[in-house]
Amino acid sequence: MDTQELKQYLADAPPTVVRLEIEKHFDALNAQQKKYAHFISRACFEGSRIVARQISPESEPIYDFILALHKSGSGDWKALQAKAGISDEDLDHFLQYAAQFLGNGGNYKSFGDAKFIPRCPESAFSALAGTSPEAQTFYDATSGAIFSTDNPSLLHLGYPEQGHMTTYYPNSPDITKVEIDAVSKWMEGKGLLPENTRLVKNKDGSFEIWIASANRTIPTQGGDIGKETTFKIDSGILAGKTITLVYGDYSKEMAAITASIKRAAENADTEVQKNMHNAYARSFENGSIQDFKESQRFWIRDKGPMVECNIGFIETYRDPAGIRGEWEGFAAVVNLERTKAFAGLVEAQPSLVPCLPWGKDFEKDKTFSPDFTSLEVMTFAGSGIPIGINIPNYDDIRQREGFKNVSLGNVMNAKAPNEKIPFIAEKDLDVLRRYRDDALEIQVGLHELTGHGCGKLLQETEPNVYNFDKANPPISPLTGKPITTWYKSGETWGSVFGSWAGAYEECRAELVAMSLSCEFAALKIFGFGDGSVDMDGEAGDVLYASYLSMARAGITSLEMWDPKSRKWGQPHSQARFSILQCFINAEDDFCKLDYQKDDLSDLTVKLDRSKILTAGRKAVDDYLLKIHIHKSTADAEGGIKLFGDMTNVDDFWGKKVRDVVLQNKQPRKVFVQANTFIDEATGEVTLKHYDATPEGMIQSWVDRNV
């Protein structure tokens, strides 16, 4: 790989290290709530090695290597530098790499799925490894993968048959996408959910499904599909092959997680919370996703807690097949003041949903009133921290029982000093700087609550039972004719749309937010305007900032597109690029790229504020209607073609625009999180913060001892 190509994979120098502030919110908790939060936090972080193993084979030894170096120098990095005989610059580059690694849970970016490598020479790492036998052992265990760029395909996560990196299919270099899909279909037919599994293809062609659980043996009462563990397949492409269920993946970590979750249950405020954690414990101990789903039902019912949490194998973005979940967990304190605004948004939900561009046949039969809370994050363990969450991801629960939404306030508001905002015209910088946080908060609220929460999946809920009138099917607004596709019994949204599902759904939710942010009644809930249409007032400023931010995000998203594999590395980025195309394709010159120089070095987005409510919203609603109806009716063929066309990157975008994006890219934030400690004798819980530096980041992980 030449030097220019390699440049984009170098670790940020310096990374943007920011601290998650939580102390004043944590101090407001009572003693029992602090203990409850502490044990949830421990359970979350005790899954950190799972995250590392889900990213790359070298991630866990790199993690141990970093901690061993801290031990080798007794936390004195200058002393370690002298011992290793490396330069100040080499030490800085090591620390910057370590901070980015710890902030991403591994050596691939959580936002983009691309590998990052140190800026210093390999000899500097080798010299550091030589400072202790322990560090040397862990460094040797990385097998040279820290710096390796020989195979460009391995610089991105993806399917093994395409040469990409994945550990969701360990020791299976010749497993194919067709085989993965066939096993997934078999699991679907058996009712075995995949979120906490990995899939292995053995040399003899047989398959093993590894199930995450503390116990290494099948539960005495049987697993989610009974006591049988080995199955012979008699038809299809897997005919003659066997599939074996293997319990105990990540068993050591799952046992520690289970123990901490049980302690959390002992300190719960309510019976609902206790039942939720007991269901978590059963799931993590025995590997049952049905028990995990039960925990999510209790989570929905845990209304208005002071300490909010969720934990498990949740999001499926990083599995190339889009069905296996990455470990994550969070513990957070509710911000009561900001939650009031979100409560207003929940109350307005019945009046907002009808503003969306489809009729009642394609909307949920029952309107839920979910919790929507603003949280201050104490702990978020995983490969990255979002700014908002809408879960559970199980459609049967969401469609029939409901869901909850959270906005992560201290993540959203964390800022680096002197943060640059490229691709925005000078005349727009002031309004964007003043209102982008407010616009983002409203967008996150509409995205999570209404975006992910709205819409009906037309389905055969069980054999020959339908949630719509099959004899007189709804009329599709796209064709003017009765629908001809729906979800068959056993099918899910994820299984039908496959690897496209994540980005597709993020696009749908973002479009809902873009559409409903044009409703001035929604802006009023957050304190902007009086609900009347006023594009020249403060509410208009917020709306303009929202559309500008989305258009800019569509440009910067190209950092996450790889021209070699022609692959998007991040679902949200793929979604935002398609929305920028929607803006540009709108009528009446609503949005365009503005530049005078051939190299696009002066590129800015030009968006006509006066046309947001006309040409802008019409384009958004037209695109949203198509995206939504294809999803609602299980029309994967039509939906994937539409979304694929909208996210296709031609030479202009993939070369000229992407080049200037890479030249202006800003380091993504990595967060230093506090730790809690408990005095077992007194039961007192204390909180420790760390400096927003690479050294502070490393110390926080040393103190976690996981």
Side-chain angles (χ1 to χ4, degrees):
M1 179 174 289
D2 64 41
T3 305
Q4 189 59 35
E5 286 182 299
L6 182 62
K7 202 171 175 184
Q8 65 178 292
Y9 296 101
L10 295 175
D12 293 331
T16 302
V17 182
V18 295
R19 195 168 92 162
L20 277 184
E21 302 294 342
I22 189 60
E23 192 163 11
K24 71 175 183 178
H25 300 283
F26 183 78
D27 287 346
L29 299 176
N30 65 35
Q32 182 175 324
Q33 290 164 345
K34 286 179 180 178
K35 282 198 276 188
Y36 179 65
H38 166 76
F39 287 115
I40 297 167
S41 175
R42 286 301 301 170
C44 294
F45 280 128
E46 279 159 348
S48 298
R49 289 178 181 273
I50 297 175
V51 177
R53 279 180 227 155
Q54 289 181 308
I55 293 173
S56 69
E58 65 270 14
S59 283
E60 190 174 12
I62 295 172
Y63 171 73
D64 285 318
F65 173 60
I66 293 168
L67 299 193
L69 288 178
H70 181 278
K71 181 179 176 182
S72 175
S74 300
D76 185 337
W77 293 103
K78 284 294 182 183
L80 186 71
Q81 175 192 357
K83 194 174 177 182
I86 61 173
S87 68
D88 288 348
E89 183 180 49
D90 286 346
L91 176 65
D92 284 345
H93 285 155
F94 164 77
L95 292 172
Q96 290 165 1
Y97 175 82
Q100 192 170 341
F101 176 93
L102 294 170
N104 284 274
N107 63 333
Y108 284 71
K109 295 176 183 176
S110 64
F111 202 88
D113 290 348
K115 185 177 179 179
F116 54 93
I117 59 176
R119 288 177 176 264
C120 58
E122 197 166 355
S123 58
F125 269 56
S126 182
L128 287 167
T131 60
S132 81
E134 187 180 29
Q136 187 68 58
T137 298
F138 290 127
Y139 184 64
D140 291 344
T142 68
S143 304
I146 295 175
F147 288 87
S148 175
T149 58
D150 295 341
N151 183 348
S153 294
L154 285 175
L155 297 175
H156 297 269
L157 301 180
Y159 282 109
E161 69 176 320
Q162 295 170 350
H164 296 309
M165 172 59 71
T166 181
T167 52
Y168 285 96
Y169 308 94
N171 312 316
S172 307
D174 62 341
I175 195 170
T176 66
K177 180 182 183 300
V178 170
E179 290 170 329
I180 291 168
D181 290 345
V183 173
S184 299
K185 199 73 178 171
W186 176 85
M187 293 175 70
E188 185 181 292
K190 287 285 186 180
L192 182 64
L193 294 170
E195 286 83 2
N196 66 340
T197 69
R198 293 193 286 174
L199 177 62
V200 175
K201 181 183 179 182
N202 295 316
K203 289 182 179 177
D204 63 2
S206 63
F207 296 89
E208 292 177 355
I209 296 171
W210 292 0
I211 298 173
S213 62
N215 294 339
R216 291 179 173 274
T217 56
I218 190 167
T220 53
Q221 76 278 15
D224 284 349
I225 57 172
K227 292 190 175 184
E228 195 174 354
T229 57
T230 300
F231 304 83
K232 184 113 179 231
I233 312 303
D234 57 11
S235 62
I237 69 159
L238 302 178
K241 307 295 185 185
T242 60
I243 296 176
T244 302
L245 308 185
V246 180
Y247 290 82
D249 200 13
Y250 317 120
S251 61
K252 181 180 177 182
E253 290 74 24
M254 297 306 291
I257 291 163
T258 302
S260 291
I261 282 295
K262 287 179 177 178
R263 295 292 301 274
E266 293 168 6
N267 290 279
D269 267 345
T270 66
E271 280 300 309
V272 169
Q273 288 180 350
K274 186 177 293 186
N275 290 335
M276 173 177 69
H277 287 289
N278 286 335
Y280 278 134
R282 289 194 302 273
S283 173
F284 300 153
E285 203 159 49
N286 296 322
S288 169
I289 287 292
Q290 296 303 328
D291 280 331
F292 182 74
K293 288 179 73 173
E294 194 64 16
S295 77
Q296 299 305 277
R297 292 184 173 98
F298 284 117
W299 185 67
I300 293 167
R301 296 174 211 154
D302 185 23
K303 302 283 189 182
M306 280 302 296
V307 176
E308 184 61 281
C309 65
N310 207 290
I311 184 170
F313 296 89
I314 311 290
E315 302 295 351
T316 59
Y317 298 131
R318 304 192 92 170
D319 169 25
I323 61 171
R324 292 176 167 83
E326 185 175 43
W327 176 264
E328 70 175 44
F330 71 86
V333 184
V334 174
N335 183 326
L336 296 175
E337 187 61 34
R338 292 310 300 148
T339 295
K340 289 177 184 176
F342 289 116
L345 194 59
V346 171
E347 289 175 13
Q349 181 84 333
S351 63
L352 289 175
V353 170
C355 298
L356 294 169
W358 53 81
K360 60 183 179 60
D361 285 337
F362 300 95
E363 191 47 65
K364 286 186 175 71
D365 300 322
K366 177 182 175 184
T367 300
F368 296 104
S369 295
D371 248 14
F372 201 146
T373 49
S374 179
L375 303 179
E376 306 296 321
V377 172
M378 183 180 91
T379 295
F380 203 112
S383 62
I385 309 180
I387 55 177
I389 307 171
N390 173 287
I391 43 181
N393 290 330
Y394 299 101
D395 289 322
D396 56 338
I397 298 178
R398 295 169 64 85
Q399 295 278 323
R400 301 176 196 173
E401 301 177 55
F403 48 89
K404 280 167 67 172
N405 308 268
V406 296
S407 171
L408 307 181
N410 57 344
V411 178
M412 195 184 307
N413 297 327
K415 292 284 184 297
N418 306 315
E419 207 168 55
K420 295 179 182 176
I421 312 177
F423 311 120
I424 295 296
E426 188 68 34
K427 69 179 181 63
D428 292 325
L429 276 173
D430 182 57
V431 71
L432 192 64
R433 285 199 173 106
R434 278 189 294 130
Y435 292 108
R436 64 175 170 164
D437 285 354
D438 299 313
L440 181 59
E441 185 171 51
I442 295 166
Q443 184 185 332
V444 167
L446 292 168
H447 173 115
E448 301 296 347
L449 173 65
T450 318
H452 289 311
C454 73
K456 179 178 182 178
L457 300 183
L458 301 177
Q459 57 193 157
E460 183 182 11
T461 54
E462 53 188 271
N464 298 314
V465 178
Y466 301 84
N467 66 352
F468 63 97
D469 185 353
K470 185 172 179 287
N472 298 286
I475 303 299
S476 167
L478 305 186
T479 65
K481 299 176 181 178
I483 66 163
T484 57
T485 57
W486 52 82
Y487 294 87
K488 307 298 189 294
S489 180
E491 289 182 340
T492 66
W493 146 246
S495 71
V496 171
F497 278 72
S499 60
W500 290 86
Y504 191 103
E505 172 61 8
E506 292 307 327
C507 178
R508 194 184 72 92
E510 291 280 45
L511 285 166
V512 169
M514 289 290 97
S515 177
L516 292 183
S517 61
C518 294
E519 296 293 327
F520 280 70
L523 302 178
K524 179 186 176 183
I525 293 167
F526 287 85
F528 300 103
D530 60 5
S532 60
V533 176
D534 180 11
M535 280 304 297
D536 296 322
E538 190 176 41
D541 287 339
V542 172
L543 178 56
Y544 186 43
S546 182
Y547 268 71
L548 272 177
S549 294
M550 181 58 71
R552 177 181 172 274
I555 295 172
T556 60
S557 67
L558 284 164
E559 178 192 343
M560 305 301 171
W561 185 78
D562 176 47
K564 273 199 167 63
S565 64
R566 300 194 62 80
K567 176 180 182 291
W568 282 97
Q570 218 293 325
H572 297 82
S573 296
Q574 187 175 2
R576 289 162 189 161
F577 179 78
S578 88
I579 295 172
L580 172 61
Q581 300 309 306
C582 167
F583 287 0
I584 289 173
N585 293 339
E587 300 168 354
D588 209 14
D589 286 335
F590 169 62
C591 178
K592 61 178 75 172
L593 301 185
D594 192 32
Y595 55 90
Q596 301 299 320
K597 299 179 180 178
D598 288 340
D599 64 358
L600 308 191
S601 57
D602 59 343
L603 176 68
T604 59
V605 64
K606 186 176 182 181
L607 192 145
D608 192 329
R609 174 175 177 152
S610 70
K611 296 172 183 173
I612 291 175
L613 299 179
T614 52
R617 185 169 188 180
K618 181 180 183 303
V620 165
D621 282 354
D622 288 348
Y623 184 29
L624 172 57
L625 178 64
K626 294 172 186 174
I627 284 280
H628 178 77
I629 297 300
H630 288 309
K631 177 188 176 183
S632 186
T633 60
D635 180 12
E637 183 180 354
I640 290 170
K641 184 183 187 311
L642 169 67
F643 190 57
D645 288 346
M646 291 293 281
T647 58
N648 179 56
V649 179
D650 63 19
D651 283 351
F652 172 74
W653 291 97
K655 291 180 180 176
K656 297 195 75 171
V657 179
R658 187 172 182 273
D659 282 351
V660 77
V661 166
L662 293 178
Q663 290 162 20
N664 285 275
K665 82 171 183 175
Q666 304 298 303
R668 190 165 175 82
K669 299 181 189 75
V670 291
F671 296 97
V672 179
Q673 301 180 49
N675 282 319
T676 51
F677 302 89
I678 189 166
D679 185 323
E680 290 291 350
T682 65
E684 183 182 358
V685 179
T686 55
L687 183 84
K688 180 180 178 181
H689 267 302
Y690 300 86
D691 292 339
T693 62
E695 294 90 337
M697 173 74 88
I698 296 169
Q699 186 65 54
S700 72
W701 282 95
V702 169
D703 289 352
R704 269 171 211 133
N705 191 30
V706 292

